[in-house]
Each structure stands twice: as C-alpha cells, then as structure tokens.
Amino acid sequence: MRWGKGVPSEELIELIRSLAPSPFREEIEPDGSRTLVCGDPGEVIIRFDNTCITISLFEVQWKGPYTPVVTPREMGTVNWVPELRQDILLTLSHLIHSTCNQRRADFRSCTICGESLPPEWMFNHEMCQSCASSQLGIVY
Ligand SMILES: [Zn+2]
C-alpha cells in the first residue's frame, strides 16, 4: 500500500479501529483508498485516502425489492496533519461515536423475536424479515 506524505500509518489506523465498533470489513478501492466498514450490522464507514479520513453513516437503500445497496452518508472529513494527531483522534472519536448513535437510533425491535435490527432488515414496523418469512411464509 502506497501512502503519500503525512498519511496515517498502519499504527494509526489500528488506533482509529479501536474507536469504532467491531467486526471490521476492510475494502481497498481502485484508487488505493482504504475503507473500513465497522460493526455487523454496519454502523459506521471510515475511509482513508491520501490526505484525509472520512466518517460516514452506514445506510442502506433498496434499488428494487431484492437489492440492498449501501449508500454511505458523509458525516465529516478530517484532514490528516501529523502534528495534530491527538486533536484529530479526539475529533474522530466524537464523529464515530455520534455516527454510531445516529445509526442505532434507527434500529427497530422485532415484536416476535425481540431482536434490535437496522431498518433494512425489518419487514414492517413490527416484524423483521426472518420472522416475516417464518410466520407469513414470505420468501426472500
Ligand atoms: Zn424477528
């Protein structure tokens, strides 16, 4: 992985990971930027490119009835300045925390199985998709 001058090191990426919910799924984009999808279900997406770190809310939109598409909603971008390392980590910590809170605020409880689930996993306001398929015979 090639990093430009002043770009976060592996060690720093590890530190930033420790601020976010696990598990992590890491993706490397064609342009060489790295994306960390944090949490399962996903809560926050952290993108590292040559000069900055972008925090986005994990959101899913349906492109048709069977095709969920992750559409990250940008919450904030921080330019990476090595001299401001502590300030930047603090800012990232706040951003990640508020993004996760916003995501979890959208979770709904299934009245059948009691699980707290993200909106894209719900069949309707009361029932999750897996309960809908076992109770109503709906097949996905
Ligand atoms: Zn359920």
Side-chain angles (χ1 to χ4, degrees), residues 6-62:
V7 153
S9 62
E10 290 294 331
E11 180 224 345
L12 190 84
I13 291 175
E14 276 307 308
L15 258 173
I16 293 168
R17 278 166 72 118
S18 74
L19 303 172
S22 60
F24 302 100
R25 200 174 71 242
E26 185 165 359
E27 289 163 10
I28 296 178
E29 307 292 328
D31 66 0
S33 64
R34 289 163 66 157
T35 302
L36 267 184
V37 180
C38 313
D40 182 23
E43 292 183 25
V44 58
I45 298 172
I46 306 173
R47 184 167 178 274
F48 303 88
D49 69 19
N50 276 334
T51 54
C52 57
I53 302 165
T54 304
I55 307 296
S56 300
L57 179 71
F58 184 103
E59 248 185 7
V60 171
Q61 283 178 1
W62 292 89

Side-chain angles (χ1 to χ4, degrees), residues 11-121:
E11 180 224 345
L12 190 84
I13 291 175
E14 276 307 308
L15 258 173
I16 293 168
R17 278 166 72 118
S18 74
L19 303 172
S22 60
F24 302 100
R25 200 174 71 242
E26 185 165 359
E27 289 163 10
I28 296 178
E29 307 292 328
D31 66 0
S33 64
R34 289 163 66 157
T35 302
L36 267 184
V37 180
C38 313
D40 182 23
E43 292 183 25
V44 58
I45 298 172
I46 306 173
R47 184 167 178 274
F48 303 88
D49 69 19
N50 276 334
T51 54
C52 57
I53 302 165
T54 304
I55 307 296
S56 300
L57 179 71
F58 184 103
E59 248 185 7
V60 171
Q61 283 178 1
W62 292 89
K63 307 268 185 234
Y66 307 108
T67 317
V69 177
V70 178
T71 48
R73 198 196 319 159
E74 198 173 309
M75 304 294 285
T77 297
V78 178
N79 277 316
W80 176 245
V81 183
E83 294 72 28
L84 298 177
R85 179 192 168 103
Q86 288 307 323
D87 293 330
I88 289 172
L89 280 175
L90 194 65
T91 305
L92 287 172
S93 164
H94 287 312
L95 260 176
I96 291 169
H97 191 71
S98 64
T99 303
C100 291
N101 282 346
Q102 189 168 335
R103 172 71 166 148
R104 286 180 203 146
D106 280 342
F107 282 23
R108 295 282 170 266
S109 288
C110 172
T111 54
I112 310 245
C113 66
E115 294 266 9
S116 179
L117 296 164
E120 69 272 13
W121 292 9

